[in-house]
Amino acid sequence: MALDATMLVSRSLMRSWYFRPARLAAAIAAGIAGVLLTTAVLVVYFAVYDALRGAPITAVRDEVVAVEASAPAGLAPSVVDEVGQRTGLPTTSMLVVSASRLQDDGTTTPMLVFGVEPELGDFVDDDLAEQTREHPLGPGEVYLAAAWADQRGVKAGDEIRVGGTTDVRTWKVAAILRGEVANRGSVIIAPRPVVAEAFGRGEFTDVVLVDQRGQDRARVVADATAAVDGAAAVKDPKDLLSGYRKSFQTFLTILAMFAVIAVLTAGVVLYLTWRLALDDARPALARMRLTGVRTSHLMAGSAAVMVPILLVSYAIGVVLGVLVGSRLDSFSRQITDLSQQAVTPGTPWQLPALGALLAVVLMFLAAWVSGVRRFTKVEAIEAVSGRGEVAVLPGGVRKPFLLGAGLLVTGVLVVLLGPPLVQSVGLVPLLGGAALLSVVLPVVIGLALRKGEPGPVRLAVSRQLQLGWRRNAALCVTFTVSVVSAVGMAGVAGSIRHEVAASVERWTPGDLYVQAAPLGTNLRNETLPRELEQELRAVDGVEAVTTFSFTYLELDGRRVQVWSWARSDLDRLSRLTVTEGPADVLTLLGQDDIAVSVNYADAQGVEVGDRLDLPLPTGHRSVTIKAVVDDSASDGGMLIASPELYAELTGSTQVYAFFVGVGASADKAVVRDALAAVVSDAHPRSRVVTQQILRDTVANITARLVSAFEVFAWVMFVLAVLIGAASLASGLVDRKRANALLRLSGATAKTVRRQLTVEVVLIAAGSALVSLPVGWLAIVALLDAQAVQSGIRPPVEIPVLLSALSLPLVIACMLLALVIAKPGKANTPLRDLLAQD
């Protein structure tokens, strides 16, 4: 009997969709779109995060303790010796360098270069150790990983060309190592002395590996920590280079927020669409309870039909989502390029697929359980009599309306009047109030239409807005959530883009800029020798030259940018705005002084006069903050060091770029060509660019990064609107009986179309009335949330185009649904409509 009742429920549900195929199509389309959106945004997020957190050599044994230098110079030999003496255990050292492989056609490939000692085999797993012992490295030989070499046809015995600090080096491939080894195969392993000489690293070391050999790990970690005296971080081998995942917090934080918003938006769309799909069969399933069908039968029978929809939606959506996410690899590539560490992003589809599955299952369960509970709450006799649908009266909306309005007011007050780091909290009541108001707004509009002397169309519209409040609420919530999310995301992206562009203009008053590699793809070890300055000054037309240096150090567990200018010609080539401290701070900084950017001061809570412990190759030093400088181009903030302190931090006199001032009478194009001739031979990736090109390049890099966020906003908005339109179209099909009755009572097709058009326009307008102001306020809250990591608090930029097009686009899609459903042609005989029930 139980099986028969369950099958009866399943057949009834399938029969309801047989007569309403639009609803079934909408449910499947919503499922696919929701899974696609969720998977795609998670693929991009995990691709970036995974690339920036990858350990350099994944085959290092778990019994090894890793010591990673915090200063860009690495660890001095004395510190390395101290680690060995304190621990009393075998050690090996390693260099980690970013470089470019040069090909004959001029193209380049970023790769990580590891300078290793012969003892490396004692610290890695047996397979890798055996391979290295079979083919020991000679002075000019390297290992490549099969995952990288096989794809490019590189074999043992071939030669590869790699750009060094001063020239291009040619190395012979000694062996191809099985698997990826590190960095998804984009790795070169060479003798440590060879790498040190090629990249000017001297005796410094980036990583020390300590063989634990059965000793207490906590003791080994404590001894190593004491030995380095703040110059390095002691960690597990799998966490090597973990500081890179803390880089670019602005973009990673925004991406994380957008991922959450996208998943929530997709979840709302899925829930509402699947919930309405179950509601189609509500009258028939509720009447079955008169025949003995129980709640358990309703659960099992509906699940037997809904689960295949879930599986089909997920199977198609997850494949499309991975494909779409992988096509956005340029976004991942840009962020990883800016890390300067030649990390190689992949497409980690497993976690995005799992995340999408979890989200879709949760929404399915919510829709399924609430839908079945809805069946059981309708009295069976009311389902037979047709009184299961009751128009909502004023008393039914008063409490939810007041609660929604209260939440909205609370959110507005917190966002507009709250202090920094509190404004983001206002996002919760804002979204809650907007969603709750969207639920009751169609009913409120319907009640308002009854005021005065309403005509036939106005009366019919008001009744339908009250009677069909569930479907109307679903539409209104879908549009509201999508508009709020899209406007908020686009506003955050645009605000940061404009602020970064304005910041770049403040520190680029020069005429020409000589760089070791194209901006945005230059690697950490692609620098220029300071000695070039005299040659550049000798070029006709050059009247001023200063050097600009740039690197990262690890401070309090996060990577922080360090900038440094030479003291020459600063008045001509640098115009930083000092907000606290002496205006000429760049000329006053000593080895025990630094300046910090505004966003660093805000994010870390420091000010002029505070002291920071900076890691050095030999230990650490306490330095004093002398000034705060206005800047937003550095993600998470930056430190400004004197040339002497910078050289101590990096262990090098190499520079990132030369800022050049050109005389008023000189031809900038001629001077640019002459400067390029000075550096091009030894540095084939070098560039000489004008001020405008530099500013445009930085702006374009930022624009390309944030444009991906804006694309997400548009895609999410359009998907939600289209799904809402599909739901509307299927709902209009369900109203064939009511429309047929209107036609039988004398209403014309024009009158029916006018009524339905007024309904959808009012729902869309009501949604826009709530969503646009909430979306604008959400920009403030989201900017406040990302400022916790980045420190950037840009002026709010309203996405005018998206805001202006949101309402017309919603109305256009809803009118398209009217055209598809053709409600004005409801000429189906009444007896046929009744026979379908």
Side-chain angles (χ1 to χ4, degrees):
M1 170 60 186
L3 181 60
D4 292 341
T6 300
M7 292 182 62
L8 183 63
V9 172
S10 299
R11 290 175 57 189
S12 178
L13 190 56
M14 288 188 291
R15 186 171 181 270
S16 70
W17 288 340
Y18 174 79
F19 289 110
R20 299 175 179 87
R23 174 58 65 192
L24 178 60
I28 295 176
I32 294 173
V35 175
L36 186 157
L37 179 62
T38 302
T39 306
V41 72
L42 290 179
V43 165
V44 175
Y45 175 78
F46 281 108
V48 174
Y49 184 82
D50 187 60
L52 293 178
R53 69 177 295 275
I57 297 183
T58 55
V60 175
R61 292 187 288 109
D62 293 336
E63 296 79 12
V64 170
V65 174
V67 180
E68 183 180 355
S70 298
L75 296 174
S78 60
V79 177
V80 177
D81 293 340
E82 184 69 15
V83 171
Q85 293 172 9
R86 288 256 189 166
T87 61
L89 296 170
T91 64
T92 188
S93 62
M94 183 166 56
L95 291 175
V96 184
V97 175
S98 53
S100 292
R101 178 216 177 191
L102 280 68
Q103 296 171 248
D104 294 336
D105 60 0
T107 60
T108 60
T109 304
M111 302 183 72
L112 286 181
V113 181
F114 296 102
V116 300
E117 296 180 336
E119 298 84 7
L120 178 66
D122 298 332
F123 294 81
V124 297
D125 61 34
D126 294 340
D127 182 52
L128 182 57
E130 181 182 354
Q131 294 181 72
T132 58
R133 288 169 183 147
E134 288 177 355
H135 304 280
L137 289 175
E141 295 182 331
V142 299
Y143 297 133
L144 297 179
W148 183 89
D150 291 347
Q151 294 180 4
R152 294 160 177 81
V154 180
K155 305 180 295 298
D158 291 350
E159 292 184 338
I160 61 171
R161 298 168 62 239
V162 177
T165 300
T166 57
D167 56 13
V168 177
R169 305 301 175 100
T170 300
W171 291 333
K172 182 180 179 181
V173 179
I176 304 296
L177 304 179
R178 290 187 291 272
E180 290 187 346
V181 182
N183 197 33
R184 295 186 177 83
S186 185
V187 59
I188 301 171
I189 299 178
R192 187 183 182 284
V194 172
V195 176
E197 193 274 333
F199 295 95
R201 297 301 307 277
E203 297 298 321
F204 293 100
T205 296
D206 291 322
V207 174
V208 178
L209 301 179
V210 182
D211 192 347
Q212 185 179 333
R213 288 198 169 184
Q215 300 292 321
D216 179 65
R217 191 175 187 87
R219 183 193 68 80
V220 176
V221 170
D223 289 343
T225 302
V228 298
D229 187 30
V234 182
K235 55 184 70 172
D236 288 335
K238 65 177 179 296
D239 290 329
L240 285 171
L241 294 187
S242 59
Y244 289 99
R245 66 186 171 194
K246 299 168 186 175
S247 305
F248 306 101
Q249 285 296 326
T250 301
F251 299 112
L252 290 177
T253 302
I254 296 174
L255 186 57
M257 291 191 303
F258 286 6
V260 172
I261 291 174
V263 171
L264 290 177
T265 303
V268 169
V269 170
L270 287 172
Y271 170 78
L272 293 174
T273 308
W274 285 348
R275 180 70 169 76
L276 291 176
L278 278 173
D279 265 0
D280 286 336
R282 181 188 51 76
L285 296 181
R287 287 196 291 267
M288 287 184 182
R289 293 169 61 214
L290 290 175
T291 65
V293 172
R294 299 180 178 178
T295 302
S296 59
H297 303 146
L298 293 174
M299 296 284 286
S302 58
V305 181
M306 291 293 291
V307 168
I309 295 178
L310 166 68
L311 296 177
V312 170
S313 300
Y314 176 76
I316 299 175
V318 75
V319 173
L320 294 177
V322 171
L323 291 175
V324 171
S326 63
R327 294 299 181 271
L328 294 173
D329 61 346
S330 60
F331 177 77
S332 306
R333 183 71 267 169
Q334 287 172 49
I335 288 186
T336 52
D337 280 347
L338 290 173
S339 75
Q340 293 194 307
Q341 194 54 45
V343 288
T344 302
T347 306
W349 59 269
Q350 295 90 341
L351 284 176
L354 181 62
L357 178 62
L358 179 62
V360 75
V361 168
L362 288 176
M363 289 303 103
F364 170 80
L365 290 175
W368 175 49
V369 172
S370 63
V372 174
R373 286 187 71 247
R374 167 71 177 152
F375 300 157
T376 60
K377 284 185 175 296
V378 177
E379 296 295 336
I381 189 62
E382 289 185 355
V384 173
S385 64
R387 292 181 302 187
E389 287 287 344
V390 179
V392 178
L393 299 177
V397 301
R398 186 174 295 115
K399 288 184 178 179
F401 180 82
L402 292 177
L403 179 58
L407 287 173
L408 206 57
V409 171
T410 301
V412 171
L413 293 176
V414 172
V415 170
L416 295 182
L417 304 179
L421 306 183
V422 174
Q423 294 171 324
S424 57
V425 178
L427 189 62
V428 175
L430 273 179
L431 294 178
L436 199 54
L437 283 180
S438 298
V439 171
V440 300
L441 195 58
V443 179
V444 173
I445 295 174
L447 293 172
L449 289 177
R450 291 179 177 271
K451 304 297 182 180
E453 295 293 333
V457 173
R458 184 173 164 187
L459 188 62
V461 169
S462 65
R463 180 181 183 277
Q464 183 57 42
L465 290 176
Q466 292 178 257
L467 185 65
W469 70 272
R470 285 188 176 84
R471 294 183 184 277
N472 297 331
L475 285 174
C476 200
V477 169
T478 298
F479 296 141
T480 298
V481 170
S482 64
V483 171
V484 169
S485 302
V487 169
M489 291 165 66
V492 169
S495 299
I496 292 178
R497 183 178 68 244
H498 287 96
E499 176 64 13
V500 170
S503 182
V504 171
E505 290 186 7
R506 290 195 289 268
W507 55 263
T508 55
D511 299 307
L512 296 174
Y513 298 85
V514 182
Q515 303 169 317
L519 188 65
T521 64
N522 50 327
L523 303 174
R524 174 178 173 182
N525 295 92
E526 289 183 311
T527 53
L528 296 169
R530 185 179 295 273
E531 293 72 23
L532 280 175
E533 180 176 347
Q534 297 307 316
E535 296 183 55
L536 299 180
R537 286 185 180 275
V539 172
D540 290 340
V542 172
E543 70 172 14
V545 177
T546 195
T547 63
F548 171 73
S549 299
F550 163 84
T551 189
Y552 285 94
L553 60 80
E554 191 159 327
L555 188 63
D556 297 328
R558 60 181 292 166
R559 294 182 77 232
V560 179
Q561 296 182 30
V562 182
W563 295 10
S564 180
W565 280 267
R567 295 185 178 91
S568 59
D569 298 323
L570 281 177
D571 56 339
R572 169 74 166 80
L573 300 172
S574 177
R575 295 176 187 166
L576 292 180
T577 302
V578 178
T579 60
E580 294 182 58
D584 57 345
V585 65
L586 293 182
T587 63
L588 300 177
L589 290 176
Q591 283 192 308
D592 296 328
D593 306 322
I594 60 169
V596 301
S597 62
V598 170
N599 48 339
Y600 181 88
D602 288 344
Q604 304 304 315
V606 297
E607 58 187 13
V608 172
D610 289 350
R611 298 185 68 82
L612 295 177
D613 286 335
L614 289 188
L616 298 173
T618 55
H620 72 278
R621 177 184 299 157
S622 181
V623 296
T624 302
I625 299 176
K626 288 294 186 181
V628 176
V629 177
D630 190 10
D631 176 72
S632 297
S634 54
D635 182 79
M638 54 85 177
L639 313 179
I640 300 179
S642 67
E644 296 80 12
L645 178 57
Y646 186 88
E648 191 173 358
L649 285 168
T650 60
S652 171
T653 60
Q654 296 288 116
V655 300
Y656 180 80
F658 290 96
F659 289 16
V660 179
V662 178
S665 61
D667 187 329
K668 292 182 182 179
V670 174
V671 176
R672 181 183 59 189
D673 294 340
L675 293 173
V678 173
V679 297
S680 59
D681 289 341
H683 301 275
R685 274 170 48 84
S686 63
R687 297 289 188 275
V688 180
V689 298
T690 63
Q691 178 195 79
Q692 192 59 49
I693 291 177
L694 178 71
R695 292 177 176 179
D696 291 344
T697 302
V698 176
N700 288 337
I701 291 173
T702 307
R704 287 197 301 269
L705 289 171
V706 298
S707 66
F709 301 136
E710 294 174 330
V711 169
F712 286 151
W714 278 99
V715 169
M716 186 170 62
F717 173 66
V718 172
L719 279 176
V721 171
L722 290 177
I723 292 170
S727 299
L728 173 63
S730 63
L732 292 173
V733 173
D734 296 340
R735 290 174 61 180
K736 280 185 177 180
R737 180 184 294 106
N739 292 334
L741 288 173
L742 285 175
R743 296 295 302 278
L744 287 174
S745 63
T748 63
K750 182 178 180 180
T751 302
V752 173
R753 284 194 297 270
R754 185 189 305 165
Q755 173 191 334
L756 297 174
T757 301
V758 172
E759 288 178 22
V760 298
V761 170
L762 287 175
I763 292 174
S767 172
L769 183 66
V770 174
S771 59
L772 283 177
V774 172
W776 298 333
L777 290 170
I779 299 173
V780 180
L782 290 172
L783 286 174
D784 184 66
Q786 64 82 34
V788 174
Q789 293 289 345
S790 72
I792 297 177
R793 295 186 178 277
V796 175
E797 292 280 343
I798 301 296
V800 177
L801 181 61
L802 181 58
S803 300
L805 292 180
S806 58
L807 179 58
L809 185 57
V810 168
I811 292 177
C813 288
M814 296 178 79
L815 293 179
L816 178 63
L818 289 177
V819 174
I820 295 174
K822 298 178 181 179
K825 297 183 178 180
N827 294 317
T828 305
L830 184 60
R831 62 177 181 275
D832 294 341
L833 293 172
L834 295 174
Q836 294 176 9
D837 195 11

